[in-house]
Amino acid sequence: MKTTRQHGRRKVTLKDVAAQVGVSHTTVSNAYIRPGQLSAALREKIFAAAQEMGYTGPDPAAKQLATGHSGALGFLFSEDLPYAFSDPAVLTVLNGVAKSCNELETDLALISAGSSLRNMNTPVSLGNAAVDGYILYSVAPDSRCVMMAQQRNVPLVVVDQPRLDGVPYVGIDDRDAAYKAAKTLLNLGHRRFGILSLKTAHDDYFGILTAKRRANIAHSTIAMRLEGYLTALQEAGIAPETVPAWEIPINSEEAGAEGARFLINRPERPTAILAMSDRVAIGAMQTIRAAGLSIPQDVSIFGFDDIPAAATADLSTIRQPHEQKGAEAVRLLVQQDGRQNVILKTELIERGSIGPAPQG
């Protein structure tokens, strides 16, 4: 075949490939977006010519116009982009999404809304990639990104939060899971508790979870976990307002370590700590031991998520089906079969980080 690579003089187009092969430009287009309409031999001939000429395929926007589909799904989350690659829970959800996309031969676009949420003067952007639908992962209901995604007129599926009318949802019963965690510690005789809460709003607040902030929690998963903890404690005669809670702006071991310092240095040190994530709990365990205290003899601690590091740390926790969340979200987004909500089961995992309340 005669080489007609343009060597930088101008961009090779679909029509150039069609002329080289001796077919219509529609035939070349079909080789990429409707391959079933061509014989294998003709497809291979077109692809060989395209590779030789330096043609990389149809423009995504043109492909979407031709087929009505872009061949990609968008995964929208509310943290900075590096967080998606550093947090084990998010990575596991993404793994479930990616596996399903791979089976469907669908691309995946990661879209971070972190800066848009922190700075109200920043224009909201959902990225430049054309997508056939969005998975909204743990985005607050008052996020401007939710409104932008709804205005795109493509299917949506929510994982964890927010609950949106008419939008399929995948999640767990956070309230029930948190209630069971607190109940387990109560059954071990604990009556002095502390709570390490994940962030309740879009700001970078780090400190005591005040009554005002408790009453205005933007993230429903956090509100439900807090409600589950406090309901169990209240049933045991422990007034919610007497339970110290520390709010953490980022889910990390360092933040958990700092929060634990506040709790264990109180005049009445808690004998049990309820942490809203394993990473926070593992950080808290480091602080507790550094202070010369023993786990669980002096302080019991309960996490949430069951990331791989939880087993290594011998941390009691709530096991979430993270990968299944991702897979279910893709299924709902692609099938659009009218099934609105999928509530997945959790499992309470008891390990060595909890024990009977110390006497005295």
Side-chain angles (χ1 to χ4, degrees):
M1 179 180 294
K2 181 181 177 181
T3 300
T4 57
R5 186 183 293 273
Q6 300 301 314
H7 293 297
R9 286 180 292 173
R10 68 175 178 83
K11 184 177 180 180
V12 179
T13 68
L14 182 147
K15 290 183 178 180
D16 294 327
V17 178
Q20 177 74 6
V21 180
V23 296
S24 70
H25 69 274
T26 301
T27 299
V28 175
S29 177
N30 285 340
Y32 288 92
I33 64 178
R34 298 185 183 92
Q37 295 188 9
L38 279 66
S39 68
L42 180 54
R43 286 200 308 271
E44 289 302 317
K45 185 177 181 181
I46 291 170
F47 293 152
Q51 183 176 8
E52 182 70 20
M53 299 173 70
Y55 178 67
T56 58
D59 180 81
K63 178 180 177 181
Q64 187 173 23
L65 286 172
T67 65
H69 299 283
S70 67
L73 302 180
F75 186 88
L76 174 63
F77 58 103
S78 57
E79 301 293 346
D80 291 331
L81 193 57
Y83 184 81
F85 298 94
S86 63
D87 184 81
V90 181
L91 275 174
T92 311
V93 173
L94 271 172
N95 194 45
V97 172
K99 283 182 177 179
S100 295
C101 286
N102 189 59
E103 291 172 2
L104 295 167
E105 297 184 350
T106 298
D107 292 329
L108 179 63
L110 298 185
I111 304 163
S112 166
S115 61
S116 296
L117 297 180
R118 286 192 304 274
N119 186 354
M120 294 301 291
N121 295 320
T122 300
V124 176
S125 173
L126 298 187
N128 297 319
V131 298
D132 296 321
Y134 289 104
I135 296 171
L136 306 183
Y137 176 72
S138 197
V139 180
D142 58 347
S143 166
R144 296 178 292 161
C145 297
V146 172
M147 179 185 67
M148 290 292 292
Q150 289 175 311
Q151 291 176 347
R152 288 291 180 92
N153 197 31
V154 295
L156 305 176
V157 170
V158 169
V159 175
D160 287 347
Q161 64 179 9
R163 298 290 187 98
L164 301 172
D165 290 340
V167 176
Y169 169 85
V170 181
I172 63 170
D173 188 336
D174 285 278
R175 182 188 182 281
D176 180 69
Y179 177 91
K180 289 176 179 176
K183 195 74 174 176
T184 299
L185 291 168
L186 287 165
N187 290 339
L188 289 170
H190 292 277
R191 291 299 181 271
R192 296 202 309 272
F193 285 80
I195 295 173
L196 293 175
S197 171
L198 295 176
K199 67 179 182 181
T200 65
H202 305 319
D203 55 18
D204 293 323
Y205 177 79
F206 192 86
I208 296 171
L209 181 55
T210 63
K212 182 178 180 180
R213 292 184 70 84
R214 291 189 191 197
N216 295 281
I217 298 178
H219 299 273
S220 60
T221 54
I222 306 308
M224 290 298 98
R225 291 180 195 182
L226 185 61
E227 183 180 328
Y229 292 150
L230 296 180
T231 298
L233 300 185
Q234 193 167 29
E235 289 176 357
I238 301 171
E241 61 271 16
T242 67
V243 180
W246 186 265
E247 183 177 345
I248 291 164
I250 187 69
N251 182 23
S252 70
E253 291 79 5
E254 293 78 13
E258 181 65 25
R261 277 189 279 274
F262 163 76
L263 293 177
I264 66 173
N265 287 322
R266 291 178 58 81
E268 282 200 335
R269 185 181 69 229
T271 65
I273 294 175
L274 292 158
M276 289 193 188
S277 85
D278 290 343
R279 295 186 69 184
V280 167
I282 290 168
M285 293 171 79
Q286 295 167 359
T287 291
I288 292 167
R289 291 185 173 122
L293 301 172
S294 297
I295 299 171
Q297 290 79 9
D298 296 313
V299 182
S300 289
I301 186 160
F302 211 108
F304 208 109
D305 286 332
D306 198 31
I307 63 174
T312 303
D314 205 17
L315 174 65
S316 295
T317 188
I318 298 295
R319 176 175 293 165
Q320 287 204 67
H322 291 296
E323 187 167 311
Q324 190 180 356
K325 281 184 180 181
E328 285 289 337
V330 174
R331 184 187 65 78
L332 289 177
L333 196 59
V334 171
Q335 293 182 2
Q336 290 291 301
D337 58 6
R339 192 174 171 194
Q340 291 298 301
N341 295 321
V342 176
I343 306 300
L344 301 173
K345 292 182 179 179
T346 59
E347 183 180 357
L348 191 145
I349 306 297
E350 292 192 40
R351 297 191 178 106
S353 69
I354 61 172
Q359 299 300 310

